[in-house]
Amino acid sequence: MKGLFTALMVSYDEEGNINEKGLREIIRYNIDVNRVDGLYVNGSTGENFMISTEEKKEIFRITKDEVKDRVKLIAQVGSVNLKEAIELAKYATDLGYDALSAVTPFYYKFDFEEIKHYYNSIINAVNNKMIIYSIPFLTGVNMSVTQFEELFENEKIIGVKFTAGDFYLLERMRRAFPDKLIYAGFDEMLLSAAVLGVDGAIGSTFNVNGERARQIFELAQQGKIAEAREIQHVTNDLITDVLDNGLYQTLKEILKEKGVDAGYCRQPMKKLSDEKIGIAKSIARKYW
């Protein structure tokens, strides 16, 4: 389960329906061109928190059907609705997903005992493994090394997607949990995380920038930090341009420039203006 996982984008049509043909094209592009080690399905990048339970199941089904066993698959099943999370965990496990992941429960200010109950309830309901999805800047949930240690007492919880800029905490966790999987979650900080010894990374920009991500990660593992830093510079220039133009919409337009039917984003995300579509096309030409 080590390596680089794309946080999979989903193609939706202009009415917000799942575009199965486009989704399959995105999947194939990630496997055949980006050559990632796996896909992280139904995370933030897939616009997961704006779709129904049945739509989530459909995305899990299509992805597994297209991938077969070519790469590893992680199913993000987290939800504030614990019953939904368990239902999705069972569904993805039955499909044959290699591991589950779940975002920390958000919006309500859950205490740690409630968070611990949430994870144990999901993973104890299925015969699978769990990767915690920690993204404090969106969920407001900050956990300490001691709290992660409590979660890891459940042997089925095998790691964490660490989407935070607290590299002191990351270093402490790597030191404390050498046998747990730690994935970097911020693409713009991949090199810094790789230097601290993460086992891999899960990134949204890997949908278009997987090759550079691979170079950064492998060069860091080889100790070629100066070379990796130059590629991280280029990657961060790309990320800056994409963020300035609209993250998910721009990534989808870049995929379209590469011949992939990436579709549109779900409302309330807005469509790009003609001007911003032009900027997205220029970004594609600039970096590829």
Side-chain angles (χ1 to χ4, degrees):
M1 293 295 293
K2 296 182 179 182
L4 301 181
F5 287 69
T6 294
L8 186 66
M9 304 204 85
V10 175
S11 179
Y12 299 100
D13 66 22
E14 291 191 75
E15 284 71 47
N17 303 306
I18 296 167
N19 172 7
E20 180 171 343
K21 172 180 172 292
L23 173 55
R24 289 180 183 273
E25 288 184 18
I26 294 172
I27 292 165
R28 290 196 297 271
Y29 188 85
N30 272 291
I31 295 172
D32 298 337
V33 179
N34 289 321
R35 298 189 178 280
V36 292
D37 300 298
L39 301 174
Y40 186 88
V41 186
N42 275 335
S44 310
T45 307
E47 301 163 58
N48 172 76
F49 304 111
M50 297 185 289
I51 60 178
S52 70
T53 304
E54 292 308 309
E55 287 171 318
K56 293 172 187 179
K57 288 181 177 180
E58 184 70 358
I59 292 165
F60 283 142
R61 183 195 64 78
I62 293 168
T63 303
K64 178 60 179 178
D65 181 68
E66 186 64 38
V67 169
K68 303 295 191 289
D69 296 315
R70 287 186 288 171
V71 297
K72 298 293 186 181
L73 290 175
I74 301 173
Q76 199 293 124
V77 301
S79 170
V80 178
N81 181 341
L82 181 55
K83 287 186 177 181
E84 181 195 39
I86 293 172
E87 181 180 345
L88 291 172
K90 290 178 178 178
Y91 185 81
T93 298
D94 288 344
L95 285 174
Y97 274 67
D98 299 282
L100 306 174
S101 183
V103 67
T104 47
F106 53 89
Y107 188 79
Y108 302 99
K109 294 186 181 297
F110 298 102
D111 65 28
F112 178 70
E113 287 306 312
E114 292 168 326
I115 292 169
K116 184 176 178 181
H117 171 72
Y118 163 88
Y119 280 111
N120 286 334
S121 296
I122 297 170
I123 199 58
N124 289 340
V126 296
N127 182 25
N128 210 332
K129 303 176 285 291
M130 169 64 70
I131 296 161
I132 296 163
Y133 180 11
S134 178
I135 183 166
F137 84 104
L138 288 181
T139 62
V141 178
N142 288 281
M143 292 189 291
S144 66
V145 173
T146 301
Q147 289 172 329
F148 276 109
E149 184 175 22
E150 277 196 52
L151 293 175
F152 288 148
E153 287 174 1
N154 187 328
E155 292 183 356
K156 294 167 76 175
I157 301 179
I158 62 169
V160 57
K161 179 188 177 189
F162 188 90
T163 308
D166 186 345
F167 282 88
Y168 171 69
L169 176 60
L170 177 59
E171 185 277 333
R172 292 290 81 191
M173 289 183 62
R174 178 73 292 170
R175 178 83 170 182
F177 312 119
D179 298 325
K180 296 295 183 179
L181 292 168
I182 301 179
Y183 299 96
F186 273 140
D187 305 4
E188 61 270 33
M189 302 179 190
L190 175 56
L191 173 56
S192 303
V195 169
L196 288 175
V198 294
D199 298 291
I202 300 169
S204 56
T205 63
F206 297 178
N207 282 279
V208 299
N209 200 48
E211 183 178 359
R212 289 191 183 95
R214 171 78 61 196
Q215 291 170 339
I216 292 166
F217 190 65
E218 292 185 351
L219 286 168
Q221 290 181 316
Q222 296 164 17
K224 298 177 180 179
I225 304 304
E227 293 176 49
R229 187 166 58 239
E230 288 307 309
I231 301 169
Q232 186 74 69
H233 287 329
V234 175
T235 290
N236 286 0
D237 287 343
L238 165 64
I239 290 171
T240 298
D241 288 346
V242 167
L243 289 174
D244 286 346
N245 200 54
L247 175 58
Y248 299 129
Q249 299 94 326
T250 301
L251 290 177
K252 288 186 175 184
E253 289 299 326
I254 292 172
L255 281 171
K256 290 177 188 177
E257 285 297 291
K258 294 172 176 287
V260 178
D261 181 11
Y264 302 87
C265 291
R266 289 281 294 244
Q267 293 183 20
M269 289 188 185
K270 61 187 178 183
K271 292 182 181 178
L272 292 184
S273 65
D274 289 344
E275 178 185 2
K276 289 204 167 190
I277 290 173
I279 293 171
K281 291 180 177 182
S282 69
I283 292 171
R285 291 191 296 270
K286 179 179 178 181
Y287 291 97
W288 290 278

